[in-house]
Amino acid sequence: DAGVIQSPRHEVTEMGQEVTLRCKPISGHNSLFWYRQTMMRGLELLIYFNNNVPIDDSGMPEDRFSAKMPNASFSTLKIQPSEPRDSAVYFCASSLRGQFDYEQYFGPGTRLTVT
Amino acid sequence: AQSVTQPDIHITVSEGASLELRCNYSYGATPYLFWYVQSPGQGLQLLLKYFSGDTLVQGIKGFEAEFKRSQSSFNLRKPSVHWSDAAEYFCAVGARGTGGYQKVTFGIGTKLQVIP
């Protein structure tokens, strides 16, 4: 298996621009997580999907952030408009809901820089 | 709500020396505990996990961790460190979140430096 795939790996954009991060989970996994990692706050859960349905979005910082999962093999995290404080590494992780739904497999991350 | 404390932000050890990374958790029930490793520019990889049973857990790459309920700890150990172990290590605790899934809360991480 190719593992969790994220694109792009690096993104540099100007404040006010729209940013879309993409994730392809491991085939067969039915849970998907988006995390944000910063030096100050560590690794934070933004949103969790199960069977393509958002279950817990309490970690989404504000309305500028939105996430979708149109099918089992694709998810996006969108920031519109972006701000410098959104600069971070964004990780996508997937797992198989059930006994081991906490065994999460992480993608390589997208490093976002907003200038 | 659950929480995880990793008291050491940065640790330096000599290659071949033993290693212990500390982790303390806070959770009202029996926790699900994890250690992940993150190499530079990479995502997190699961090293080992504890759900129940034997409190000494073996993981990949020669790592082990011991769950001590009385101390609310889940320290990670390795008897002999290799230069390739230089990375950042995250302790995490799982608990039921909204919708009944396992919500995993991560510690701030410990950066391990290995010197010759």
Side-chain angles (χ1 to χ4, degrees):
Chain A
D1 198 312
V4 176
I5 299 172
Q6 291 187 249
S7 64
R9 293 293 309 275
H10 301 273
E11 177 79 38
V12 180
T13 190
E14 292 183 348
M15 182 174 62
Q17 296 298 306
E18 177 180 295
V19 175
T20 299
L21 311 182
R22 297 172 176 79
C23 174
K24 177 178 168 55
I26 292 173
S27 178
H29 283 189
N30 55 9
S31 295
L32 186 138
F33 307 80
W34 281 101
Y35 290 89
R36 179 172 65 178
Q37 185 179 40
T38 61
M39 289 291 292
M40 293 298 296
R41 300 174 66 90
L43 200 61
E44 305 172 278
L45 176 67
L46 299 177
I47 188 168
Y48 158 67
F49 290 89
N50 181 245
N51 291 327
N52 314 335
V53 177
I55 303 298
D56 183 357
D57 64 355
S58 59
M60 295 287 265
E62 48 198 274
D63 292 346
R64 297 186 297 105
F65 285 70
S66 63
K68 294 182 179 180
M69 193 164 186
N71 56 63
S73 59
F74 184 67
S75 177
T76 59
L77 178 67
K78 185 178 294 186
I79 308 173
Q80 167 63 17
S82 58
E83 297 182 3
R85 60 193 169 117
D86 301 330
S87 297
V89 181
Y90 291 81
F91 288 102
C92 176
S94 71
S95 69
L96 183 60
R97 176 77 186 267
Q99 183 181 4
F100 303 107
D101 61 354
Y102 23 67
E103 193 162 336
Q104 299 179 17
Y105 294 82
F106 283 75
T110 295
R111 182 174 295 277
L112 173 65
T113 303
V114 183
T115 61
Chain B
Q2 69 272 29
S3 67
V4 177
T5 301
Q6 292 182 249
D8 304 307
I9 302 299
H10 190 271
I11 281 185
T12 299
V13 299
S14 298
E15 190 169 14
S18 63
L19 171 70
E20 182 169 29
L21 302 183
R22 296 184 291 165
C23 172
N24 292 96
Y25 68 90
S26 175
Y27 183 56
T30 300
Y32 295 89
L33 296 163
F34 313 85
W35 275 100
Y36 283 83
V37 60
Q38 183 181 27
S39 298
Q42 302 296 314
L44 279 70
Q45 180 186 20
L46 182 66
L47 278 178
L48 48 79
K49 58 186 182 287
Y50 171 78
F51 298 151
S52 64
D54 193 347
T55 56
L56 185 62
V57 180
Q58 301 297 321
I60 62 172
K61 305 184 180 186
F63 285 91
E64 66 177 26
E66 186 171 12
F67 170 59
K68 293 185 177 180
R69 184 188 300 276
S70 61
Q71 299 177 18
S72 297
S73 70
F74 189 57
N75 294 349
L76 182 70
R77 301 194 295 248
K78 186 169 185 178
S80 178
V81 171
H82 188 262
W83 64 266
S84 60
D85 293 324
E88 190 159 16
Y89 293 80
F90 292 88
C91 182
V93 60
R96 287 295 170 193
T98 304
Y101 76 101
Q102 279 286 343
K103 182 173 182 176
V104 180
T105 300
F106 290 83
I108 199 70
T110 298
K111 282 190 177 177
L112 173 65
Q113 181 182 10
V114 180
I115 57 176

Short mmCIF file of all heavy atoms in Angstrom, two decimals, chain A residues 41-101:
data_model
loop_
_atom_site.label_atom_id
_atom_site.label_comp_id
_atom_site.label_asym_id
_atom_site.label_seq_id
_atom_site.Cartn_x
_atom_site.Cartn_y
_atom_site.Cartn_z
N ARG A 41 1.81 25.06 19.63
CA ARG A 41 0.65 24.32 20.10
C ARG A 41 0.77 22.81 19.89
O ARG A 41 -0.12 22.05 20.29
CB ARG A 41 -0.60 24.84 19.41
CG ARG A 41 -0.87 26.33 19.68
CD ARG A 41 -2.03 26.82 18.85
NE ARG A 41 -3.28 26.20 19.24
CZ ARG A 41 -4.10 26.69 20.18
NH1 ARG A 41 -3.77 27.81 20.80
NH2 ARG A 41 -5.22 26.08 20.48
N GLY A 42 1.86 22.38 19.27
CA GLY A 42 2.03 20.96 19.04
C GLY A 42 1.08 20.45 17.98
O GLY A 42 0.73 21.15 17.04
N LEU A 43 0.61 19.21 18.15
CA LEU A 43 -0.25 18.55 17.17
C LEU A 43 -1.70 18.67 17.64
O LEU A 43 -2.06 18.17 18.70
CB LEU A 43 0.16 17.09 17.06
CG LEU A 43 -0.25 16.31 15.81
CD1 LEU A 43 0.35 16.94 14.58
CD2 LEU A 43 0.21 14.88 15.95
N GLU A 44 -2.52 19.32 16.82
CA GLU A 44 -3.92 19.55 17.18
C GLU A 44 -4.84 18.87 16.18
O GLU A 44 -4.65 19.02 14.97
CB GLU A 44 -4.25 21.04 17.15
CG GLU A 44 -3.38 21.94 18.00
CD GLU A 44 -3.72 23.38 17.71
OE1 GLU A 44 -3.19 23.92 16.70
OE2 GLU A 44 -4.50 23.99 18.46
N LEU A 45 -5.86 18.20 16.66
CA LEU A 45 -6.87 17.62 15.78
C LEU A 45 -7.81 18.71 15.31
O LEU A 45 -8.37 19.44 16.10
CB LEU A 45 -7.66 16.54 16.52
CG LEU A 45 -8.82 15.92 15.73
CD1 LEU A 45 -8.28 15.11 14.55
CD2 LEU A 45 -9.67 15.04 16.64
N LEU A 46 -7.97 18.81 13.98
CA LEU A 46 -8.88 19.81 13.41
C LEU A 46 -10.26 19.21 13.18
O LEU A 46 -11.28 19.78 13.58
CB LEU A 46 -8.32 20.34 12.09
CG LEU A 46 -6.97 21.06 12.17
CD1 LEU A 46 -6.52 21.47 10.77
CD2 LEU A 46 -7.02 22.24 13.09
N ILE A 47 -10.30 18.05 12.51
CA ILE A 47 -11.59 17.45 12.16
C ILE A 47 -11.41 15.96 11.94
O ILE A 47 -10.33 15.50 11.58
CB ILE A 47 -12.18 18.13 10.89
CG1 ILE A 47 -13.61 17.66 10.63
CG2 ILE A 47 -11.28 17.90 9.68
CD1 ILE A 47 -14.34 18.48 9.58
N TYR A 48 -12.50 15.23 12.20
CA TYR A 48 -12.51 13.79 12.05
C TYR A 48 -13.71 13.39 11.19
O TYR A 48 -14.82 13.85 11.43
CB TYR A 48 -12.58 13.13 13.42
CG TYR A 48 -13.11 11.71 13.43
CD1 TYR A 48 -12.37 10.68 12.85
CD2 TYR A 48 -14.31 11.39 14.04
CE1 TYR A 48 -12.84 9.38 12.87
CE2 TYR A 48 -14.79 10.09 14.06
CZ TYR A 48 -14.04 9.10 13.48
OH TYR A 48 -14.51 7.80 13.50
N PHE A 49 -13.46 12.55 10.18
CA PHE A 49 -14.51 11.99 9.35
C PHE A 49 -14.62 10.49 9.60
O PHE A 49 -13.60 9.81 9.76
CB PHE A 49 -14.19 12.17 7.86
CG PHE A 49 -14.25 13.58 7.36
CD1 PHE A 49 -13.14 14.41 7.42
CD2 PHE A 49 -15.42 14.08 6.79
CE1 PHE A 49 -13.20 15.71 6.94
CE2 PHE A 49 -15.47 15.38 6.30
CZ PHE A 49 -14.35 16.19 6.38
N ASN A 50 -15.84 9.98 9.60
CA ASN A 50 -16.04 8.55 9.57
C ASN A 50 -17.02 8.23 8.45
O ASN A 50 -18.11 8.81 8.39
CB ASN A 50 -16.58 8.04 10.92
CG ASN A 50 -16.77 6.53 10.93
OD1 ASN A 50 -17.88 6.03 11.04
ND2 ASN A 50 -15.70 5.80 10.80
N ASN A 51 -16.64 7.30 7.59
CA ASN A 51 -17.47 6.97 6.42
C ASN A 51 -17.88 8.23 5.66
O ASN A 51 -19.05 8.39 5.28
CB ASN A 51 -18.69 6.16 6.84
CG ASN A 51 -18.31 4.76 7.30
OD1 ASN A 51 -17.35 4.17 6.80
ND2 ASN A 51 -19.05 4.25 8.27
N ASN A 52 -16.93 9.12 5.48
CA ASN A 52 -17.07 10.35 4.70
C ASN A 52 -17.91 11.42 5.39
O ASN A 52 -18.12 12.49 4.80
CB ASN A 52 -17.65 10.07 3.31
CG ASN A 52 -17.01 8.90 2.60
OD1 ASN A 52 -15.87 8.56 2.88
ND2 ASN A 52 -17.74 8.28 1.72
N VAL A 53 -18.37 11.18 6.58
CA VAL A 53 -19.22 12.14 7.29
C VAL A 53 -18.40 12.82 8.39
O VAL A 53 -17.75 12.12 9.18
CB VAL A 53 -20.43 11.43 7.90
CG1 VAL A 53 -21.28 12.41 8.72
CG2 VAL A 53 -21.27 10.78 6.81
N PRO A 54 -18.44 14.15 8.47
CA PRO A 54 -17.73 14.81 9.56
C PRO A 54 -18.39 14.51 10.90
O PRO A 54 -19.58 14.75 11.08
CB PRO A 54 -17.83 16.30 9.20
CG PRO A 54 -19.02 16.39 8.31
CD PRO A 54 -19.12 15.10 7.58
N ILE A 55 -17.59 13.99 11.85
CA ILE A 55 -18.12 13.59 13.14
C ILE A 55 -17.76 14.61 14.22
O ILE A 55 -18.56 14.93 15.09
CB ILE A 55 -17.60 12.21 13.55
CG1 ILE A 55 -17.95 11.16 12.49
CG2 ILE A 55 -18.11 11.81 14.93
CD1 ILE A 55 -19.44 10.97 12.29
N ASP A 56 -16.55 15.09 14.18
CA ASP A 56 -16.07 16.01 15.20
C ASP A 56 -15.25 17.10 14.53
O ASP A 56 -14.14 16.83 14.07
CB ASP A 56 -15.24 15.25 16.24
CG ASP A 56 -14.76 16.15 17.39
OD1 ASP A 56 -15.02 17.37 17.36
OD2 ASP A 56 -14.11 15.63 18.32
N ASP A 57 -15.80 18.29 14.45
CA ASP A 57 -15.06 19.42 13.86
C ASP A 57 -14.77 20.49 14.91
O ASP A 57 -14.55 21.65 14.56
CB ASP A 57 -15.80 20.01 12.66
CG ASP A 57 -17.13 20.63 13.06
OD1 ASP A 57 -17.52 20.51 14.26
OD2 ASP A 57 -17.80 21.22 12.21
N SER A 58 -14.79 20.09 16.14
CA SER A 58 -14.60 21.06 17.23
C SER A 58 -13.22 21.71 17.23
O SER A 58 -13.02 22.75 17.83
CB SER A 58 -14.85 20.40 18.58
OG SER A 58 -13.97 19.31 18.78
N GLY A 59 -12.28 21.09 16.54
CA GLY A 59 -10.94 21.64 16.48
C GLY A 59 -10.70 22.61 15.34
O GLY A 59 -9.63 23.23 15.27
N MET A 60 -11.66 22.77 14.47
CA MET A 60 -11.51 23.71 13.35
C MET A 60 -11.46 25.12 13.94
O MET A 60 -12.40 25.54 14.62
CB MET A 60 -12.66 23.56 12.37
CG MET A 60 -12.68 22.21 11.69
SD MET A 60 -11.39 22.04 10.47
CE MET A 60 -12.30 22.51 9.01
N PRO A 61 -10.38 25.85 13.66
CA PRO A 61 -10.16 27.11 14.37
C PRO A 61 -11.22 28.18 14.12
O PRO A 61 -11.60 28.88 15.04
CB PRO A 61 -8.78 27.57 13.89
CG PRO A 61 -8.39 26.66 12.80
CD PRO A 61 -9.28 25.50 12.77
N GLU A 62 -11.70 28.32 12.94
CA GLU A 62 -12.69 29.36 12.65
C GLU A 62 -13.29 29.09 11.28
O GLU A 62 -12.94 28.13 10.60
CB GLU A 62 -12.02 30.73 12.70
CG GLU A 62 -10.72 30.83 11.92
CD GLU A 62 -9.89 32.02 12.36
OE1 GLU A 62 -10.13 33.11 11.82
OE2 GLU A 62 -9.01 31.85 13.21
N ASP A 63 -14.21 29.97 10.90
CA ASP A 63 -14.97 29.76 9.67
C ASP A 63 -14.11 29.80 8.42
O ASP A 63 -14.56 29.38 7.36
CB ASP A 63 -16.10 30.79 9.56
CG ASP A 63 -17.17 30.57 10.61
OD1 ASP A 63 -17.17 29.49 11.23
OD2 ASP A 63 -17.98 31.48 10.83
N ARG A 64 -12.93 30.31 8.54
CA ARG A 64 -12.05 30.35 7.36
C ARG A 64 -11.62 28.94 6.95
O ARG A 64 -11.16 28.74 5.83
CB ARG A 64 -10.83 31.21 7.65
CG ARG A 64 -11.13 32.66 7.95
CD ARG A 64 -9.84 33.46 8.10
NE ARG A 64 -9.02 33.02 9.21
CZ ARG A 64 -7.89 32.31 9.10
NH1 ARG A 64 -7.44 31.96 7.89
NH2 ARG A 64 -7.21 31.97 10.16
N PHE A 65 -11.74 28.01 7.86
CA PHE A 65 -11.34 26.63 7.61
C PHE A 65 -12.57 25.79 7.27
O PHE A 65 -13.59 25.88 7.95
CB PHE A 65 -10.66 26.03 8.84
CG PHE A 65 -9.27 26.51 9.08
CD1 PHE A 65 -9.01 27.81 9.49
CD2 PHE A 65 -8.19 25.65 8.92
CE1 PHE A 65 -7.72 28.26 9.71
CE2 PHE A 65 -6.89 26.08 9.15
CZ PHE A 65 -6.66 27.39 9.54
N SER A 66 -12.43 24.96 6.23
CA SER A 66 -13.49 24.03 5.89
C SER A 66 -12.87 22.74 5.38
O SER A 66 -11.78 22.76 4.80
CB SER A 66 -14.46 24.62 4.86
OG SER A 66 -13.77 24.88 3.65
N ALA A 67 -13.53 21.63 5.61
CA ALA A 67 -13.03 20.34 5.16
C ALA A 67 -14.17 19.55 4.54
O ALA A 67 -15.31 19.64 4.99
CB ALA A 67 -12.39 19.55 6.31
N LYS A 68 -13.80 18.78 3.50
CA LYS A 68 -14.79 17.95 2.83
C LYS A 68 -14.20 16.57 2.58
O LYS A 68 -12.99 16.40 2.48
CB LYS A 68 -15.21 18.57 1.50
CG LYS A 68 -15.96 19.88 1.62
CD LYS A 68 -16.38 20.39 0.25
CE LYS A 68 -17.16 21.70 0.37
NZ LYS A 68 -17.57 22.22 -0.96
N MET A 69 -15.11 15.60 2.47
CA MET A 69 -14.70 14.25 2.09
C MET A 69 -15.76 13.72 1.14
O MET A 69 -16.71 13.05 1.57
CB MET A 69 -14.52 13.36 3.30
CG MET A 69 -13.82 12.07 2.98
SD MET A 69 -13.21 11.23 4.44
CE MET A 69 -12.30 9.89 3.66
N PRO A 70 -15.64 14.02 -0.14
CA PRO A 70 -16.68 13.64 -1.09
C PRO A 70 -16.80 12.15 -1.34
O PRO A 70 -17.86 11.67 -1.75
CB PRO A 70 -16.25 14.38 -2.36
CG PRO A 70 -14.79 14.62 -2.20
CD PRO A 70 -14.55 14.79 -0.74
N ASN A 71 -15.70 11.42 -1.08
CA ASN A 71 -15.75 9.96 -1.23
C ASN A 71 -14.70 9.34 -0.32
O ASN A 71 -13.92 10.06 0.32
CB ASN A 71 -15.54 9.56 -2.69
CG ASN A 71 -14.25 10.08 -3.28
OD1 ASN A 71 -13.17 9.73 -2.81
ND2 ASN A 71 -14.36 10.94 -4.29
N ALA A 72 -14.66 8.03 -0.30
CA ALA A 72 -13.79 7.32 0.65
C ALA A 72 -12.31 7.47 0.35
O ALA A 72 -11.47 7.09 1.17
CB ALA A 72 -14.17 5.85 0.68
N SER A 73 -11.97 7.99 -0.81
CA SER A 73 -10.56 8.03 -1.18
C SER A 73 -10.01 9.44 -1.33
O SER A 73 -8.91 9.63 -1.86
CB SER A 73 -10.34 7.25 -2.48
OG SER A 73 -11.12 7.80 -3.52
N PHE A 74 -10.76 10.44 -0.85
CA PHE A 74 -10.29 11.80 -1.07
C PHE A 74 -10.88 12.77 -0.05
O PHE A 74 -12.07 12.74 0.24
CB PHE A 74 -10.65 12.25 -2.49
CG PHE A 74 -10.13 13.61 -2.87
CD1 PHE A 74 -8.77 13.84 -3.00
CD2 PHE A 74 -11.00 14.67 -3.09
CE1 PHE A 74 -8.29 15.08 -3.35
CE2 PHE A 74 -10.53 15.92 -3.44
CZ PHE A 74 -9.17 16.14 -3.58
N SER A 75 -10.03 13.65 0.44
CA SER A 75 -10.49 14.70 1.35
C SER A 75 -9.71 15.97 1.08
O SER A 75 -8.55 15.93 0.63
CB SER A 75 -10.28 14.28 2.80
OG SER A 75 -10.66 15.32 3.69
N THR A 76 -10.34 17.10 1.34
CA THR A 76 -9.68 18.39 1.20
C THR A 76 -9.85 19.21 2.47
O THR A 76 -10.86 19.10 3.16
CB THR A 76 -10.23 19.21 0.03
OG1 THR A 76 -11.63 19.42 0.23
CG2 THR A 76 -10.01 18.51 -1.30
N LEU A 77 -8.85 20.03 2.74
CA LEU A 77 -8.91 21.03 3.80
C LEU A 77 -8.64 22.37 3.14
O LEU A 77 -7.61 22.55 2.51
CB LEU A 77 -7.87 20.75 4.88
CG LEU A 77 -7.79 21.76 6.03
CD1 LEU A 77 -9.06 21.70 6.88
CD2 LEU A 77 -6.56 21.49 6.91
N LYS A 78 -9.60 23.28 3.27
CA LYS A 78 -9.50 24.56 2.58
C LYS A 78 -9.42 25.69 3.59
O LYS A 78 -10.13 25.67 4.62
CB LYS A 78 -10.71 24.76 1.66
CG LYS A 78 -10.66 26.02 0.81
CD LYS A 78 -11.87 26.11 -0.11
CE LYS A 78 -11.87 25.01 -1.14
NZ LYS A 78 -12.96 25.15 -2.13
N ILE A 79 -8.57 26.65 3.29
CA ILE A 79 -8.45 27.85 4.12
C ILE A 79 -8.70 29.05 3.21
O ILE A 79 -8.01 29.24 2.22
CB ILE A 79 -7.06 27.98 4.77
CG1 ILE A 79 -6.67 26.69 5.51
CG2 ILE A 79 -7.04 29.16 5.74
CD1 ILE A 79 -5.24 26.68 6.02
N GLN A 80 -9.72 29.82 3.56
CA GLN A 80 -10.09 30.96 2.74
C GLN A 80 -10.73 32.04 3.60
O GLN A 80 -11.80 31.80 4.17
CB GLN A 80 -11.06 30.53 1.64
CG GLN A 80 -11.78 31.64 0.90
CD GLN A 80 -10.85 32.58 0.13
OE1 GLN A 80 -9.72 32.24 -0.13
NE2 GLN A 80 -11.34 33.75 -0.22
N PRO A 81 -10.12 33.23 3.70
CA PRO A 81 -8.80 33.59 3.20
C PRO A 81 -7.71 33.16 4.18
O PRO A 81 -7.94 33.04 5.38
CB PRO A 81 -8.89 35.12 3.17
CG PRO A 81 -9.80 35.45 4.32
CD PRO A 81 -10.81 34.32 4.38
N SER A 82 -6.54 32.90 3.67
CA SER A 82 -5.43 32.47 4.52
C SER A 82 -4.80 33.67 5.23
O SER A 82 -4.85 34.80 4.74
CB SER A 82 -4.37 31.73 3.70
OG SER A 82 -3.89 32.57 2.66
N GLU A 83 -4.21 33.39 6.40
CA GLU A 83 -3.54 34.40 7.21
C GLU A 83 -2.17 33.86 7.64
O GLU A 83 -2.00 32.63 7.71
CB GLU A 83 -4.37 34.75 8.44
CG GLU A 83 -5.71 35.38 8.12
CD GLU A 83 -6.50 35.75 9.36
OE1 GLU A 83 -5.99 35.58 10.49
OE2 GLU A 83 -7.65 36.25 9.21
N PRO A 84 -1.22 34.74 7.93
CA PRO A 84 0.11 34.28 8.35
C PRO A 84 0.07 33.31 9.53
O PRO A 84 0.88 32.39 9.60
CB PRO A 84 0.83 35.59 8.71
CG PRO A 84 0.20 36.61 7.82
CD PRO A 84 -1.25 36.22 7.74
N ARG A 85 -0.87 33.48 10.45
CA ARG A 85 -0.93 32.59 11.61
C ARG A 85 -1.40 31.18 11.25
O ARG A 85 -1.39 30.28 12.10
CB ARG A 85 -1.85 33.17 12.69
CG ARG A 85 -3.28 33.38 12.25
CD ARG A 85 -4.01 34.23 13.28
NE ARG A 85 -5.32 34.69 12.80
CZ ARG A 85 -6.46 34.34 13.37
NH1 ARG A 85 -6.48 33.56 14.41
NH2 ARG A 85 -7.61 34.80 12.90
N ASP A 86 -1.81 30.97 10.01
CA ASP A 86 -2.17 29.63 9.55
C ASP A 86 -0.94 28.83 9.15
O ASP A 86 -1.04 27.63 8.84
CB ASP A 86 -3.12 29.71 8.36
CG ASP A 86 -4.40 30.45 8.68
OD1 ASP A 86 -4.83 30.43 9.86
OD2 ASP A 86 -4.97 31.08 7.77
N SER A 87 0.20 29.46 9.11
CA SER A 87 1.44 28.77 8.73
C SER A 87 1.70 27.63 9.72
O SER A 87 1.75 27.84 10.94
CB SER A 87 2.62 29.74 8.73
OG SER A 87 2.43 30.75 7.76
N ALA A 88 1.85 26.43 9.18
CA ALA A 88 1.99 25.23 10.01
C ALA A 88 2.21 24.04 9.08
O ALA A 88 2.21 24.18 7.86
CB ALA A 88 0.72 25.00 10.85
N VAL A 89 2.41 22.88 9.69
CA VAL A 89 2.40 21.64 8.93
C VAL A 89 1.05 20.97 9.17
O VAL A 89 0.64 20.79 10.32
CB VAL A 89 3.54 20.69 9.33
CG1 VAL A 89 3.49 19.42 8.49
CG2 VAL A 89 4.89 21.39 9.16
N TYR A 90 0.38 20.62 8.10
CA TYR A 90 -0.94 20.00 8.18
C TYR A 90 -0.81 18.53 7.81
O TYR A 90 -0.30 18.18 6.74
CB TYR A 90 -1.93 20.71 7.25
CG TYR A 90 -2.25 22.11 7.73
CD1 TYR A 90 -1.38 23.17 7.46
CD2 TYR A 90 -3.40 22.37 8.46
CE1 TYR A 90 -1.66 24.45 7.92
CE2 TYR A 90 -3.69 23.64 8.93
CZ TYR A 90 -2.82 24.67 8.66
OH TYR A 90 -3.09 25.94 9.11
N PHE A 91 -1.27 17.68 8.72
CA PHE A 91 -1.20 16.24 8.51
C PHE A 91 -2.59 15.66 8.31
O PHE A 91 -3.56 16.08 8.95
CB PHE A 91 -0.55 15.53 9.71
CG PHE A 91 0.92 15.76 9.84
CD1 PHE A 91 1.42 16.67 10.76
CD2 PHE A 91 1.81 15.06 9.04
CE1 PHE A 91 2.78 16.88 10.89
CE2 PHE A 91 3.17 15.27 9.16
CZ PHE A 91 3.66 16.18 10.08
N CYS A 92 -2.65 14.69 7.45
CA CYS A 92 -3.83 13.87 7.29
C CYS A 92 -3.48 12.47 7.81
O CYS A 92 -2.34 11.99 7.62
CB CYS A 92 -4.20 13.81 5.81
SG CYS A 92 -5.58 12.73 5.42
N ALA A 93 -4.41 11.84 8.49
CA ALA A 93 -4.21 10.47 8.98
C ALA A 93 -5.46 9.67 8.72
O ALA A 93 -6.56 10.22 8.68
CB ALA A 93 -3.87 10.48 10.48
N SER A 94 -5.30 8.37 8.54
CA SER A 94 -6.47 7.52 8.37
C SER A 94 -6.37 6.30 9.26
O SER A 94 -5.28 5.93 9.73
CB SER A 94 -6.63 7.11 6.90
OG SER A 94 -5.63 6.19 6.49
N SER A 95 -7.51 5.69 9.50
CA SER A 95 -7.55 4.48 10.32
C SER A 95 -8.78 3.68 9.95
O SER A 95 -9.65 4.14 9.22
CB SER A 95 -7.55 4.82 11.81
OG SER A 95 -8.77 5.42 12.18
N LEU A 96 -8.83 2.46 10.49
CA LEU A 96 -9.97 1.60 10.24
C LEU A 96 -10.83 1.59 11.49
O LEU A 96 -10.41 1.12 12.54
CB LEU A 96 -9.50 0.19 9.90
CG LEU A 96 -10.59 -0.83 9.54
CD1 LEU A 96 -11.36 -0.36 8.32
CD2 LEU A 96 -9.98 -2.20 9.29
N ARG A 97 -12.01 2.16 11.41
CA ARG A 97 -12.90 2.27 12.56
C ARG A 97 -13.28 0.88 13.04
O ARG A 97 -13.63 0.01 12.27
CB ARG A 97 -14.16 3.04 12.20
CG ARG A 97 -15.20 3.13 13.33
CD ARG A 97 -14.82 4.16 14.36
NE ARG A 97 -15.72 4.15 15.50
CZ ARG A 97 -16.79 4.93 15.62
NH1 ARG A 97 -17.11 5.75 14.64
NH2 ARG A 97 -17.55 4.87 16.68
N GLY A 98 -13.20 0.72 14.32
CA GLY A 98 -13.51 -0.58 14.90
C GLY A 98 -12.63 -0.78 16.11
O GLY A 98 -12.33 0.17 16.82
N GLN A 99 -12.17 -1.95 16.33
CA GLN A 99 -11.33 -2.21 17.50
C GLN A 99 -10.07 -1.38 17.47
O GLN A 99 -9.56 -0.96 18.50
CB GLN A 99 -10.97 -3.68 17.57
CG GLN A 99 -10.14 -4.04 18.80
CD GLN A 99 -9.78 -5.50 18.83
OE1 GLN A 99 -10.09 -6.24 17.91
NE2 GLN A 99 -9.12 -5.93 19.87
N PHE A 100 -9.55 -1.13 16.30
CA PHE A 100 -8.28 -0.42 16.20
C PHE A 100 -8.46 0.95 15.56
O PHE A 100 -7.62 1.40 14.82
CB PHE A 100 -7.28 -1.26 15.41
CG PHE A 100 -7.05 -2.61 16.00
CD1 PHE A 100 -7.55 -3.74 15.40
CD2 PHE A 100 -6.36 -2.75 17.19
CE1 PHE A 100 -7.36 -4.99 15.96
CE2 PHE A 100 -6.15 -3.99 17.76
CZ PHE A 100 -6.66 -5.12 17.13
N ASP A 101 -9.55 1.61 15.86
CA ASP A 101 -9.78 2.89 15.19
C ASP A 101 -8.86 3.98 15.70
O ASP A 101 -8.84 5.07 15.15
CB ASP A 101 -11.24 3.32 15.32
CG ASP A 101 -11.66 3.52 16.76
OD1 ASP A 101 -10.87 3.23 17.67
OD2 ASP A 101 -12.80 3.98 16.97
#
